[in-house]
Amino acid sequence: MASVVGKRLSLHRIKIASRPNSVVAAVGPENSQQPIDPSIHRMIYFRTKKELSDLFVLAPVSLWGRRFNRLVFVLILLGFVDLAIETCDGPNMGSTDPGYPYLPSEKDHEIYDGLFAGFFTLEFLARIIQTKNIRAFVHDPYMWLDLIGISPWYISRIFEAVGNGVDEHYINLLRLLRTVRLALILRHYEQSKIMYLAIKASLRPLSITLFFLFTLVMILATAIFYAEPCYNVETCTFTDIFNSAYFVMLT
């Protein structure tokens, strides 16, 4: 019995001795006192940066990149839907008898806007982390448009903190800048490229058509204006040729 136990102990020592040094160090009780190798943090950082680069730069060929673009696309559309619902006669208008009582309240809209702003802020920071040339990133106009697009929520919070009101109309106009991201996302799809090539190939024939259309409209507008000359701006139908041209275009 003692010989069997001794044989097993010797085999166990041989197995431990055959392990790499890192594994042996991990087995020992003194491992908790050893400092962590800083190269591990660098490896994690560069690997995370590469994965983010694949997510943003290689979106057309990356499965997760395409999924992420679709998620951003859906969230932008949901942001517009929330912006449109906010203009309806719901509980957020403060009416005692709203026309759409089942719509979200003003507090709900603030929560939704905060969630959208938080997501796009994290996405913006992730794109900063993965960039290789920070100077090119700073000179990218789309970067500044994205930054302005996520700024309304923070601007509102700052004005609320200092006790001053802010005009929501200007804030909503800044939110519309998020539509720029839709153009950046759609350009990665083959259908968008086909549409772009079709429009580009049709510009020259359409320019001739638009020229004749403009000429015809101006001739008819001039004829209408002189057929009914304007002697009193407050009573006449056509005050100038451009006004009559607008009438021709509509009719």
Side-chain angles (χ1 to χ4, degrees), residues 35 51 60 78 89 98 109 116 129 136 139 151 155-157 194 199 225 231 249:
E51 291 178 354
L78 289 178
D89 185 17
H109 286 296
F116 292 140
I129 294 174
H139 288 85
S151 62
I155 294 175
S156 301
R157 302 289 82 78
I194 294 174
I199 295 174
F225 177 76
Y231 299 104
M249 291 293 295

Side-chain angles (χ1 to χ4, degrees), residues 83 86-87 92 106 109-110 113 152-153 155-157 159-160 164-176:
L83 192 63
E86 196 173 354
T87 61
N92 61 306
E106 184 177 359
H109 286 296
E110 292 180 357
D113 191 28
W153 187 83
I155 294 175
S156 301
R157 302 289 82 78
F159 275 93
E160 289 180 2
N164 295 330
V166 60
D167 194 349
E168 290 293 333
H169 297 288
Y170 297 106
I171 296 296
N172 293 333
L173 288 176
L174 292 177
R175 292 176 186 170
L176 293 178

Side-chain angles (χ1 to χ4, degrees), residues 2 27 29 64-65 72 80 87 95 110 133 149 166 201 217 228 237 247 250:
V27 175
W64 287 104
V72 173
F80 289 145
T87 61
S95 175
E110 292 180 357
N133 189 351
V166 60
V217 167
E228 295 185 11
T237 305
F247 174 78
L250 291 181

Side-chain angles (χ1 to χ4, degrees), residues 55 63-79 116 119-120 123 181-182 185 189:
L55 188 65
L63 176 61
W64 287 104
R66 292 195 299 270
R67 290 177 178 177
F68 182 78
N69 277 342
R70 291 170 186 170
L71 176 62
V72 173
F73 187 87
V74 171
L75 289 178
I76 292 175
L77 293 181
L78 289 178
F116 292 140
F119 173 82
F120 288 114
E123 187 261 348
R181 291 299 309 282
L182 296 179
I185 295 173
Y189 292 92

Side-chain angles (χ1 to χ4, degrees), residues 213-214 217 243-251:
L213 177 63
F214 176 77
V217 167
N243 186 265
S244 58
Y246 177 73
F247 174 78
V248 172
M249 291 293 295
L250 291 181
T251 57

Side-chain angles (χ1 to χ4, degrees), residues 2-18:
S3 62
V4 174
V5 174
K7 186 176 181 180
R8 289 185 177 180
L9 288 174
S10 61
L11 291 174
H12 183 66
R13 293 192 188 97
I14 294 173
K15 186 177 181 180
I16 293 178
S18 62

